[in-house]
Amino acid sequence: LPPSPPPPLKFNGTKLVNDRDHPWKPIRKGDIRGPCPGLNTLASHGYLPRDGVATPSQIIEAVQEGFNMASATARFATYAAHLVDGNLVTDLLSIGGKTRRTGVDPPPPAIVGGLNTHSVFEGDSSMTRGDDFFGDNHSFNQTLFDQFVEYSNKYGGGFYNLATATELRHRRIQESIATNPQFDFTSPRFFTAFAESTFPYTFFVDGRISDRATAGLDMTNATLFFRDSKYPLDFWRPPAPTGGTGALQIFSAYPVAAGRNVDGVNTFTPDPTSADFSNICLLYTNFVNKTVKGLYPNPTGVLRRNLIINLGYFYNAFPGGVGECPEQFPYGTL
Ligand code: HEM
Ligand code: MG
């Protein structure tokens, strides 16, 4: 049975996380890294299995311990990813590309492709990774990182802070509209894009610094996290559990509808069926009834049982407020 998610941290203050028990090691042949600099760093320091294949529980434990990510955020992101990218029978998820190490695949249309899988969780207009249309949606992209540095210099005095995040998020969306004929900015990517824009100043800034969203992330440390999957020396995690704050502020500076390029570049068209900040509930219901159900139309046996269990863990983590949003049971109950 997929185990219940690990509890919140007992000690949830700041502390040294680049410690003796978690030395950075270079990747070995076969080790997997992917589009998430947070999980890559945790794997390269041994908070996650260094080969890049982990259970949801290991991921929840690691993001809490290593970055003080809040319990609900950690569970929501992890079960969302696991439901669409992981193997629900073996309870294993690749933090990058598809691998046999997650076990025997269920029948298609299931993908079990790891976090690199495009459009179920990973999506367009990332800050330091290219759009899938251009051929690589997961590797560190130096050209994009140069722009990350340029914007940090221009808007954050050399730091990636809330001001930098706001401008860069807008820039990356405009860039994708103008260059990616298949640009898709509908839910869930609509939400993850704004949330992830807050993560560098939230999680990659030392926990002993006080106003972290204003202070921001320096470019030496940004390079370590984004490119090298490496904590800075003497790095301390945030002082309290956090989900990353500021996503709505970043959105509100340059409001954009959820939508996509429908007929080539510069044809961005709102999609009123997509969830957005005015209808957070749809984030949950569409993800369950469209995305997950699309991958698993008719599951049976252990697969069905584990889908039901993981969907329950996912619902319990929903930050939009359980109660406002009725629970969905596309596969019935146990
Ligand atoms: C991006 C998964 C936790 C920082 C991503 C992406 C995925 C992902 C699939 C790619 C989305 C895209 O840009 O297209 C997860 C999962 C987590 C998790 C399943 C489990 C809780 C974290 C944590 C941090 C983090 C704890 C920070 C310490 C980031 C950042 C990006 C990102 C900054 C954006 C990268 C960019 O735009 O270039 N994550 N993540 N994530 N993640 Fe994570
Ligand atoms: Mg992406």
Side-chain angles (χ1 to χ4, degrees):
L1 234 69
S4 301
L9 295 174
K10 282 210 190 77
F11 170 70
N12 65 13
T14 187
K15 68 168 185 178
L16 178 71
V17 285
N18 190 3
D19 61 11
R20 270 171 194 284
D21 290 342
H22 301 91
W24 183 85
K25 291 185 188 169
I27 49 172
R28 306 153 303 185
K29 188 169 152 30
D31 285 352
I32 294 171
R33 300 293 180 267
C36 176
L39 299 182
N40 289 349
T41 299
L42 292 167
S44 287
H45 282 271
Y47 280 99
L48 284 173
R50 292 182 186 268
D51 73 349
V53 175
T55 66
S57 293
Q58 286 174 323
I59 294 174
I60 291 162
E61 187 110 29
V63 299
Q64 293 189 133
E65 183 66 21
F67 284 113
N68 217 346
M69 184 177 259
S71 167
T73 314
R75 287 179 284 125
F76 190 71
T78 301
Y79 290 114
H82 187 54
L83 278 160
V84 295
D85 290 336
N87 187 317
L88 294 155
V89 173
T90 61
D91 206 37
L92 289 169
L93 171 65
S94 158
I95 67 168
K98 188 168 178 63
T99 169
R100 301 169 57 156
R101 295 205 294 275
T102 50
V104 177
D105 280 348
I111 304 171
V112 193
L115 294 187
N116 288 0
T117 309
H118 179 57
S119 100
V120 287
F121 190 126
E122 186 284 324
D124 291 331
S125 79
S126 305
M127 294 178 286
T128 69
R129 270 68 176 163
D131 283 7
D132 189 61
F133 174 78
F134 301 113
D136 183 348
N137 67 351
H138 53 275
S139 309
F140 175 79
N141 180 310
Q142 185 65 53
T143 308
L144 286 174
F145 189 71
D146 290 345
Q147 179 172 255
F148 182 100
V149 173
E150 180 199 328
Y151 271 60
S152 299
N153 287 332
K154 202 159 158 192
Y155 297 101
F159 294 81
Y160 181 95
N161 58 15
L162 180 58
T164 312
T166 303
E167 297 301 327
L168 184 61
R169 172 63 14 241
H170 177 60
R171 168 70 186 157
R172 290 293 295 130
I173 293 167
Q174 296 310 309
E175 226 164 38
S176 288
I177 290 175
T179 62
N180 176 358
Q182 287 166 15
F183 178 48
D184 189 332
F185 202 61
T186 56
S187 183
R189 181 57 186 157
F190 182 82
F191 293 96
T192 59
F194 292 104
E196 287 158 14
S197 287
T198 73
F199 286 1
Y201 64 69
T202 302
F203 295 112
F204 295 160
V205 178
D206 193 280
R208 293 164 294 184
I209 294 173
S210 52
D211 192 351
R212 310 147 50 67
T214 309
L217 169 65
D218 70 63
M219 294 302 102
T220 305
N221 289 354
T223 307
L224 288 174
F225 282 113
F226 280 100
R227 188 190 66 189
D228 303 336
S229 309
K230 198 174 197 175
Y231 282 123
L233 277 179
D234 192 37
F235 186 80
W236 291 44
R237 73 185 185 192
T242 172
T245 45
L248 196 56
Q249 272 182 81
I250 294 171
F251 163 78
S252 302
Y254 297 102
V256 57
R260 59 176 71 76
N261 274 344
V262 290
D263 188 22
V265 299
N266 294 314
T267 61
F268 190 78
T269 307
D271 175 357
T273 68
S274 171
D276 61 23
F277 284 110
S278 72
N279 194 341
I280 306 250
C281 201
L282 265 190
L283 164 60
Y284 164 73
T285 43
N286 282 350
F287 189 79
V288 172
N289 295 326
K290 293 186 177 173
T291 313
V292 177
K293 192 84 200 287
L295 295 168
Y296 296 98
N298 284 302
T300 57
V302 174
L303 181 59
R304 173 177 166 268
R305 183 199 69 186
N306 289 2
L307 273 161
I308 293 169
I309 293 172
N310 279 283
L311 282 171
Y313 296 156
F314 176 61
Y315 179 71
N316 288 332
F318 187 52
V322 176
E324 308 258 312
C325 242
E327 188 166 5
Q328 305 293 308
F329 299 99
Y331 308 115
T333 52
L334 291 181

